[in-house]
Amino acid sequence: MAIIIGLLEISIAFIFFLVFQCFLLHKKTQRPFPTNWPVLGMLPALLHQVPRIYDCITEVLEAADMTFHFKGPWLSRTDILITVDPANIHYILSSNFVNYPKGMEFRNIFKELGDSIFNVDWELWEDLRNSAHAIFSHQEFQKISVSTSMSKLKQGLVPILENAVEENILVDLQDLFQRFLYDTSSILMTGYDTECLSIEMPKVEFSDAVDGVVDGLFYRHFMPVFLWKLQKWIGVGVEKRMKRGLASFDKLFEKIISAKREELKTHIDSKGEAVDVLTYYLTMDTTKYKHLKLSSDKFIRDIIFGFLIAGRDTTSTALTWFFWLLSKNPEAKTKIRQEINEKMPKFDSAELDKLVYLHGAVCETLRLYSPVPFNHKSPAKPDVLPSGHRVDENLKIIITPYAMGRMRSIWGDDAEDFRPERWITDSGKLKHVPSYKFLAFNAGPRLCLGKKLTFLQMKTVAVEIIRNYDIKVVEGHQTKPVPSIILRMRDGLKVSVTKV
Ligand code: HEM
């Protein structure tokens, strides 16, 4: 009997040994794909990876030849096709655009943005797009964009940096850029200066509100609908924070719209030219765009809310990563400084195009740290993508500019490196890179309407800071992106500032 028990023990030990070896071998050779469990699908792996979601998706896509089918829990309708294949992207965003609206699922997730341009399809989107394009490309609006950015820079940002130098205090660059962009966007979008950018650093209620909303929207992409709806109904977790944020935003906006309506009763710009986007929509000839419900305050709120999020969070995020990347790549900073001193001894916004290396550095930042890390589509009709993947109406398609910017198959073996030279030809001109490859601003008919404004604002801030200050990131400061629909840094960017 003892011999039998002994043999049994040895056999069990041997089986364990074999299983353990197989497991180790599997781990060593394993590609980074999440396990597809019965019932739960790949959700457990996803939840486990949330803190490093962007890099995890990048690794999976690199190993999966740029397209991966994520399986959600059974019956939860959260299957997602994630793709960064340029052929698919071009097909979805441009050549077969009509079959790939945002779709009902997107509208459901982004319900709180109402009828903002990001959220709608078809005729309403066309009217919003055409009307927004008319104001954003208006010469007067562009002039105001330049003058607003310049005056906020000189009267808001520079005094704070000077104060930091004199008092030898640390500043959070992300917070500073958010304040800068919130003030400038608010002036351009509503005509009101929120005056967040001052040495006193007043508490910005809107900022917390927006962060709450954008973080909540991120989780809804991956959670089964019934789960986030239940959370919303009970009022817990990210849904609770989102609700609080929206309430505070709505209160603020109610005041702004009614004040503007009052103001317009007594004063309408004599030249009939819009000076800010809110005035533009409130005084617009309502017969021009028949799908816009301009008499509704809620509709106006939706439009402006969308533009404010678009204008503040994206550009401030891009500027933050830009200065972080320069701190990691001091030789690039030196080259930019030389270029500024040689080609633009005195600031002139009309001459910004001369700063080719700076432009390359901005593009490189947007490639590696795309401020909008995800985009979301749903096919209207079943289709087959150029990669051969079948998609039907129930499938969500997620395109991720963050992962796309890091694919070695697209950008080469140095895809992870910050190399502004990538964007410059041998003759010193800017290289054209198609938007379905450099996807930070989206591509096709829904290409970002603020692209020009973004380059203008980023370069204006960069020139002023790099010419005059040395920015040093505090030793040991962690720079992790928050899992959200905007790629802001979780703990901000703490820096010390000295004069050049
Ligand atoms: C670094 C800065 C920016 C980045 C990375 C960026 C990126 C994007 C992306 C990815 C989209 C497509 C979104 C989607 O379809 O869901 C988009 C659309 C848009 N962006 Fe930007 N954006 C930036 C700055 C701005 C600014 C400053 C404005 C102006 C206020 C702006 C206005 C818009 C508008 C109106 C759309 C909607 C276009 C449409 O759906 O037809 N963006 N942007």
Side-chain angles (χ1 to χ4, degrees):
M1 187 66 180
I3 293 173
I4 293 173
I5 290 173
L7 279 176
L8 208 60
E9 276 175 354
I10 290 168
S11 310
I12 290 171
F14 185 63
I15 289 167
F16 265 104
F17 173 75
L18 281 183
V19 170
F20 187 62
Q21 284 301 311
C22 283
F23 179 72
L24 273 186
L25 194 69
H26 176 64
K27 277 220 113 170
K28 270 185 209 157
T29 55
Q30 190 185 25
R31 300 209 293 169
F33 300 138
T35 307
N36 185 12
W37 297 97
V39 186
L40 292 174
M42 298 175 183
L43 187 64
L46 180 88
L47 293 178
H48 177 65
Q49 292 288 349
V50 162
R52 57 180 301 276
I53 186 82
Y54 307 112
D55 290 328
C56 167
I57 291 179
T58 306
E59 286 157 16
V60 168
L61 286 169
E62 187 87 75
D65 209 12
M66 295 193 282
T67 303
F68 181 74
H69 193 143
F70 170 86
K71 299 272 187 191
W74 293 356
L75 306 175
S76 68
R77 297 188 54 198
T78 44
D79 271 18
I80 302 172
L81 191 82
I82 311 176
T83 187
V84 291
D85 182 335
N88 288 348
I89 307 282
H90 187 246
Y91 183 77
I92 294 168
L93 298 181
S94 294
S95 55
N96 206 9
F97 173 74
V98 282
N99 194 43
Y100 292 91
K102 297 278 175 122
M104 281 318 288
E105 174 99 29
F106 185 99
R107 204 163 158 74
N108 211 1
I109 291 178
F110 285 80
K111 196 163 180 259
E112 281 73 9
L113 295 193
D115 282 331
S116 93
I117 189 169
F118 300 99
N119 216 13
V120 298
D121 289 308
W122 318 123
E123 293 94 345
L124 177 54
W125 167 72
E126 270 175 37
D127 273 2
L128 279 170
R129 172 97 194 170
N130 291 335
S131 57
H133 182 260
I135 174 90
F136 288 164
S137 57
H138 198 288
Q139 243 186 358
E140 195 58 27
F141 182 78
Q142 293 190 352
K143 264 200 240 158
I144 295 172
S145 306
V146 176
S147 60
T148 307
S149 299
M150 281 313 288
S151 69
K152 270 288 153 193
L153 187 62
K154 295 284 181 199
Q155 287 151 34
L157 202 74
V158 168
I160 295 175
L161 294 177
E162 287 295 319
N163 185 55
V165 174
E166 273 162 34
E167 304 284 324
N168 195 18
I169 48 176
L170 298 179
V171 290
D172 175 358
L173 265 195
Q174 177 165 270
D175 182 36
L176 218 56
F177 292 145
Q178 283 182 340
R179 287 167 188 270
F180 172 74
L181 265 308
Y182 183 33
D183 281 356
T184 49
S185 308
S186 181
I187 294 170
L188 294 175
M189 298 304 146
T190 69
Y192 297 115
D193 185 350
T194 30
E195 296 179 353
C196 303
L197 193 64
S198 74
I199 292 176
E200 293 77 37
M201 297 280 183
K203 185 168 164 44
V204 189
E205 211 179 309
F206 177 79
S207 192
D208 295 342
V210 171
D211 290 350
V213 175
V214 294
D215 295 355
L217 291 175
F218 169 82
Y219 280 90
R220 285 186 184 176
H221 278 82
F222 301 100
M223 283 293 193
V225 178
F226 78 89
L227 208 60
W228 66 255
K229 286 204 167 163
L230 183 70
Q231 277 196 343
K232 183 178 168 184
W233 185 67
I234 304 172
V236 291
V238 282
E239 291 291 334
K240 181 178 173 189
R241 199 170 149 228
M242 180 142 92
K243 195 170 165 188
R244 228 180 14 224
L246 284 163
S248 114
F249 178 80
D250 285 342
K251 210 166 85 196
L252 176 81
F253 228 72
E254 214 179 278
K255 265 197 256 164
I256 293 180
I257 297 178
S258 75
K260 184 64 98 186
R261 282 201 194 277
E262 277 307 305
E263 193 186 306
L264 289 172
K265 274 188 200 156
T266 52
H267 169 79
I268 294 190
D269 183 40
S270 53
K271 284 175 276 162
E273 282 172 352
V275 281
D276 61 74
V277 178
L278 180 57
T279 306
Y280 168 72
Y281 278 103
L282 289 179
T283 55
M284 181 181 277
D285 172 3
T286 47
T287 57
K288 209 167 168 192
Y289 300 104
K290 65 179 192 304
H291 297 282
L292 304 188
K293 298 158 247 163
L294 297 169
S295 56
S296 153
D297 279 7
K298 162 78 174 67
F299 185 78
I300 298 283
R301 168 261 190 218
D302 293 349
I303 297 182
I304 304 295
F305 187 26
F307 290 157
L308 276 179
I309 293 184
R312 183 199 80 143
D313 288 4
T314 48
T315 313
S316 57
T317 295
L319 273 169
T320 309
W321 288 108
F322 173 77
F323 279 97
W324 180 72
L325 281 166
L326 289 192
S327 78
K328 294 266 157 215
N329 297 276
E331 65 299 338
K333 187 187 70 188
T334 308
K335 281 191 192 167
I336 297 175
R337 189 173 281 155
Q338 272 166 2
E339 183 179 63
I340 295 169
N341 291 338
E342 278 165 24
K343 297 189 182 161
M344 199 184 273
K346 194 169 172 299
F347 183 83
D348 180 355
S349 65
E351 304 269 277
L352 279 171
D353 285 351
K354 283 186 182 168
L355 306 179
V356 174
Y357 194 83
L358 172 62
H359 191 94
V362 170
C363 290
E364 201 54 351
T365 306
L366 294 164
R367 173 181 76 85
L368 285 167
Y369 292 95
S370 173
V372 182
F374 298 105
N375 198 344
H376 176 167
K377 293 279 177 183
S378 285
K381 284 196 228 127
D383 198 2
V384 180
L385 297 179
S387 61
H389 292 82
R390 289 195 66 80
V391 291
D392 64 30
E393 305 93 314
N394 295 325
L395 193 69
K396 230 186 297 188
I397 300 179
I398 287 192
I399 294 167
T400 141
Y402 178 94
M404 194 171 191
R406 286 155 188 265
M407 286 294 115
R408 285 195 289 277
S409 42
I410 299 176
W411 299 97
D413 286 343
D414 63 355
E416 294 270 320
D417 300 343
F418 177 78
R419 261 195 349 101
E421 292 78 7
R422 201 188 294 280
W423 300 85
I424 302 168
T425 63
D426 292 342
S427 58
K429 300 233 160 48
L430 279 173
K431 249 185 215 166
H432 171 71
V433 179
S435 49
Y436 54 86
K437 185 175 159 192
F438 172 48
L439 203 59
F441 294 102
N442 211 28
R446 290 193 93 133
L447 183 77
C448 171
L449 282 170
K451 187 173 173 182
K452 203 170 159 192
L453 177 61
T454 301
F455 277 107
L456 174 100
Q457 289 185 318
M458 286 188 69
K459 289 188 208 168
T460 304
V461 172
V463 169
E464 181 70 29
I465 295 185
I466 296 171
R467 194 203 304 273
N468 298 309
Y469 304 97
D470 267 324
I471 302 285
K472 201 160 169 246
V473 176
V474 169
E475 194 100 13
H477 181 81
Q478 293 282 320
T479 49
K480 292 227 176 343
V482 183
S484 186
I485 57 166
I486 305 277
L487 196 82
R488 64 182 200 283
M489 284 185 190
R490 191 190 61 193
D491 304 315
L493 186 64
K494 289 270 173 356
V495 301
S496 62
V497 189
T498 47
K499 282 291 243 193
V500 170

